[in-house]
Amino acid sequence: MAYGARNTGHGIRHKMRGVSFLNLLSILLLALTGLLLLAYLAILINPYVSFNPFPPPGGPARTQGPTPTPTATFTPALPPTWTPTATFTAMPIPSPTPTRTPTRTPSPTPTWPPTATPTPRATRAPYPFTCQVEYRANLYGIPWSGVAGHLQDLDGNPLPGYHVAVNCPGIPETLDQVAGADARYNLMYDSGAAWERACDPSAYRALDIRVRIYDKYPSQDGTFHPVSDWIQVQLGDWATRSLGYITCTLNWEEWKNR
């Protein structure tokens, strides 16, 4: 009996010791669980606490340790270099230049009686005469193709007696026209030095005609010298271009054969 009771008491104490250890372990787990809940609560309230291992981005920067300051490197200084001092050179003072006395400009003296200003003339040309062509309808009022014209000085005065060479297509050139020799042409073209030559007296034709003015008098060898350049006349095959009218003006006022 005594031995059995002793064993029973020993077993009870052993069981009580085991229960006490489990209780302590349960209390420790409850305490850790409470601390963990408090930590989660603190992180929930302020996610930027120092013990939060995963803080959200954009928060205040965590305090870092002091940045090491670079150590200054000692650079040996060179001895100063001697700079020469500029020497002042005296410049000679220029002597004063005398100021010229203003000269009185004489006022223009009026001329009496006043002199007439000469009328500007045409520029001197390679030949004594320069000629211009004007296209118009012939004065006959019928199908007719040809050339006509007159000679004049710079003031419009007629200059008769000059020979006119007309080269119609297919007809040899001849000096058969003399300015002012036919009174009919002078009356028709209102000039005392008029001339005319028909290249086709029966139709309006497109013709290419050449005309040139020659001197009044032959030279010592019996030939007449040209006094104008060649004049090109291009007629059309219609009425208003059936006449090429040529006006030749003397440009050399001092020319002896005028």
Side-chain angles (χ1 to χ4, degrees):
M1 288 292 294
Y3 179 75
R6 192 181 305 118
N7 288 337
T8 301
H10 180 73
I12 291 172
R13 283 196 300 272
H14 181 72
K15 287 180 181 181
M16 291 295 295
R17 191 179 298 115
V19 171
S20 299
F21 176 75
L22 291 175
N23 290 337
L24 289 176
L25 184 60
S26 298
I27 292 171
L28 180 61
L29 290 176
L30 287 175
L32 290 176
T33 302
L35 289 176
L36 184 60
L37 291 176
L38 289 175
Y40 280 137
L41 181 61
I43 291 173
L44 180 63
I45 295 173
N46 183 13
Y48 300 107
V49 293
S50 59
F51 55 81
N52 185 4
F54 303 106
R62 295 191 176 186
T63 305
Q64 298 179 353
T67 304
T69 304
T71 305
T73 304
F74 174 75
T75 304
L78 297 175
T81 305
W82 176 78
T83 303
T85 305
T87 306
F88 175 75
T89 304
M91 299 295 293
I93 300 174
S95 57
T97 304
T99 306
R100 298 181 61 183
T101 305
T103 305
R104 181 177 181 181
T105 304
S107 57
T109 304
T111 303
W112 187 263
T115 305
T117 304
T119 303
R121 300 292 188 174
T123 305
R124 187 181 181 94
Y127 290 94
F129 285 89
T130 55
C131 303
Q132 293 181 341
V133 183
E134 177 188 358
Y135 295 98
R136 60 175 76 165
N138 69 76
L139 299 181
Y140 299 103
I142 59 173
W144 183 98
S145 299
V147 290
H150 71 271
L151 284 77
Q152 65 183 12
D153 61 11
L154 288 171
D155 296 318
N157 300 314
L159 296 175
Y162 290 92
H163 294 267
V164 182
V166 180
N167 186 3
C168 297
I171 302 175
E173 177 184 326
T174 56
L175 294 176
D176 56 354
Q177 301 294 321
V178 178
D182 194 325
R184 295 177 304 164
Y185 300 150
N186 296 338
L187 183 62
M188 288 174 59
Y189 299 110
D190 193 22
S191 173
W195 59 272
E196 181 189 274
R197 172 68 185 274
C199 290
D200 191 338
S202 61
Y204 299 131
R205 287 184 56 191
L207 299 172
D208 192 358
I209 306 170
R210 299 204 316 159
V211 179
R212 198 172 198 183
I213 309 300
Y214 286 83
D215 204 351
K216 291 181 180 181
Y217 314 108
S219 59
Q220 295 181 354
D221 59 0
T223 59
F224 291 83
H225 291 291
V227 293
S228 77
D229 203 351
W230 281 106
I231 308 138
Q232 200 76 19
V233 180
Q234 294 179 334
L235 299 182
D237 56 353
W238 60 91
T240 56
R241 200 181 174 93
S242 61
L243 173 65
Y245 193 82
I246 304 171
T247 302
C248 294
T249 304
L250 179 67
N251 290 287
W252 297 3
E253 293 184 282
E254 71 282 2
W255 197 48
K256 64 181 180 179
N257 289 343
R258 60 182 302 176

